[in-house]
Amino acid sequence: MSNAENPYGSDLVEAADVGMLFDMKRFALHDGPGIRTTVFMKGCPLRCTWCHNPESQGAAPEIMLSAAQCTGCGTCIKACPQAAIRATQSATSTDRQRCIGCGQCAIVCPTSARTLVGYRKSIPDLVAQVKRDVVFFDESGGGVTLSGGEPLFQPSFAAAFLAQCQARRIHTALDTCGFAPWEDLKRVAQHADLILYDLKILSDSRHRRWTGHSNALILDNLTRLDALGKPVWIRIPFILEMHDDPDELSRLGAFIANLNCVEAVHLLPYHRTGEAKRQQLERSGTPKLDVPDERAVAAAGERLTRAAGQAVVIGG
Ligand code: SF4
Ligand code: SF4
């Protein structure tokens, strides 16, 4: 496949037996049915302005710096093989162009002000970790959710891991933004019992503005999933600034109403957890977004419910 056809371009990460993760959450209650273990994979092709996990976006390991914990001792500056760290008035800063994500600064930092996000994990190790909670999955109707970042950034690993879980009769869910070559989505989805599919907005110009990419592929992939008959839960981030035209939610609901595969629709109101993380990644220039109040969320939920023809769940 050429880069012109591949939405990931040269950032595509492809490995079947070892994946790049950034977190795991046991006893998760909001990533599918029952009690679940959610595995967060690193790397995402979209750049959503509101992203709650900005540390998931880059495909490679990266440093997070908690300025409040930094005493300015300078130990990291001496340890960095790339000369990527410099002292500032109150702490240190990292030259992200020079940094190779080796993690030396995090190892030597005496106050844990620096942490490395992103680590490699083999499928046997990951399956062994997940298997510890099978008793909770069985009792609650839960299982494993592969999330991110975007799991389809590492399609071979994602497909192989979910297949291993299914072989052990563990319920599997794939949480995806849908921005991936159809062949990758189809390959991974065949090992998923449930798809959690993120939909942002139908307006292509707004989608480009708020995520950096067109939504054409995402909508097309969802239509194809519908034809496959895969059960899908739609997840819609509610962003006041992006959804400032209420008709956008109605149009989104009408699109959902035409699909046969949708078992549930969740509206996820914006919250601010991503802001502190963006600071720790030393990223600037991201606009501050408003957190919707209860009234705005309820009104959006009602509008979406009417248009989609099914009760919309707030949160989850
Ligand atoms: S080693 Fe840690 S505490 Fe010392 S300057 Fe570096 S980040 Fe700050
Ligand atoms: S991760 Fe490695 S290259 Fe990057 S700042 Fe730390 S020590 Fe330097």
Side-chain angles (χ1 to χ4, degrees), residues 64-67 69-79 85-87 90-93 104-115:
M64 292 181 84
L65 169 63
S66 169
Q69 283 172 255
C70 176
T71 61
C73 70
T75 310
C76 57
I77 297 174
K78 293 187 199 113
I85 306 173
R86 69 177 180 84
S90 56
T92 56
S93 70
Q104 278 305 311
C105 55
I107 292 169
V108 300
C109 176
T111 65
S112 302
R114 287 178 173 267
T115 49

Side-chain angles (χ1 to χ4, degrees), residues 63 79-82 84-85 94 98-105 114 116:
I63 284 292
C80 177
Q82 292 293 107
I85 306 173
T94 315
R98 299 181 77 106
C99 175
I100 55 171
C102 69
Q104 278 305 311
C105 55
R114 287 178 173 267
L116 187 69

Side-chain angles (χ1 to χ4, degrees), residues 102-168:
C102 69
Q104 278 305 311
C105 55
I107 292 169
V108 300
C109 176
T111 65
S112 302
R114 287 178 173 267
T115 49
L116 187 69
V117 183
Y119 55 92
R120 294 188 188 283
K121 193 80 155 172
S122 73
I123 287 181
D125 282 355
L126 191 54
V127 170
Q129 265 186 284
V130 160
K131 267 172 52 186
R132 290 179 302 179
D133 294 329
V134 161
V135 62
F136 302 110
F137 303 157
D138 289 347
E139 281 185 11
S140 68
V144 164
T145 298
L146 200 51
S147 183
E150 173 49 60
L152 299 177
F153 218 67
Q154 305 176 64
S156 296
F157 178 87
F161 170 63
L162 293 181
Q164 291 273 336
C165 291
Q166 280 191 328
R168 288 163 177 78

